Amino acid sequence: MTTRGLPVIFSGDEVGRLAGDWPYNRPDFPPPGVWDRRTLSHYRALVALRRLHPSLTRGEHRNLLARGDLLVFLRWWEDAQGSVADAAIVAVNRGSAPQRVDLPFPPELSGASPLRGVTASGGRMRFEAPAMDAIVLVAGRIFAAPR
C-alpha cells in the first residue's frame, strides 16, 4: 500500500485466512464468523491512508536507508506549482529489535508539513522503527499496525 504501482491483496489475506502447504495452500474464503477483525481493520486503515495521501498513490519514491533488516523510503507528491503537497516516510523493520533511524533531512521535505513522530534538527531527522513492524509517518499522523 506504500510502494509504487497497484497494491495487491491475495484473496483472504485481509481477513487473516490461513493456508497450509500445497495442495491446501488456497482454501475457500472463510465465512464472516471466523474472520480476524483486527487484520481486516488494519487493511481498511491502510487502504484509507493510501486514498488520503497522494504521495502514496502517485508520488515519487526514493530509498533513504537500507541497513540489515531495516528499509526506510520517502514518498512525496508535488502540486502543479512544484511544491511538496504531501509526503510520507515508510520504515519497515523485519528485525527482532527496534532500530533508531538518524538520517540527513531529505531536501524533498523542505517545504512539507512536519511529519508526526519525526524529530528534525540540525539538518537531520530521527525516529524509531519498531521491531517486526512497519510504520508510515505522514503529516499529522503515525500509522502503525495494531498490536
Side-chain angles (χ1 to χ4, degrees), residues 102-105 119-126:
D102 184 339
L103 297 168
F105 195 83
T119 303
S121 65
R124 301 195 66 80
M125 66 176 189
R126 297 165 187 86

Side-chain angles (χ1 to χ4, degrees), residues 5 22 31 34 70 74 77 79 83 85 93-94 104-106 108 111 116 139:
W22 189 88
V34 297
L70 179 65
L74 170 67
W77 176 70
D79 61 19
S83 299
N93 180 5
R94 64 180 190 167
F105 195 83
E108 296 89 348
R116 187 159 182 253

Side-chain angles (χ1 to χ4, degrees), residues 28-117:
D28 292 336
F29 199 89
V34 297
W35 289 359
D36 180 338
R37 300 285 178 195
R38 203 165 129 219
T39 300
L40 182 58
S41 293
H42 181 68
Y43 271 90
R44 286 179 172 162
L46 273 172
V47 168
L49 185 73
R50 184 174 172 87
R51 286 181 177 158
L52 185 62
H53 291 279
S55 61
L56 298 177
T57 56
R58 57 186 178 266
E60 300 295 324
H61 175 114
R62 183 163 69 91
N63 286 342
L64 299 176
L65 176 67
R67 179 184 68 209
D69 289 326
L70 179 65
L71 174 64
V72 179
F73 59 91
L74 170 67
R75 298 292 312 271
W76 77 98
W77 176 70
E78 295 177 354
D79 61 19
Q81 290 75 37
S83 299
V84 174
D86 187 58
I89 293 175
V90 180
V92 181
N93 180 5
R94 64 180 190 167
S96 59
Q99 294 206 35
R100 191 89 182 118
V101 177
D102 184 339
L103 297 168
F105 195 83
E108 296 89 348
L109 295 182
S110 60
S113 299
L115 301 182
R116 187 159 182 253

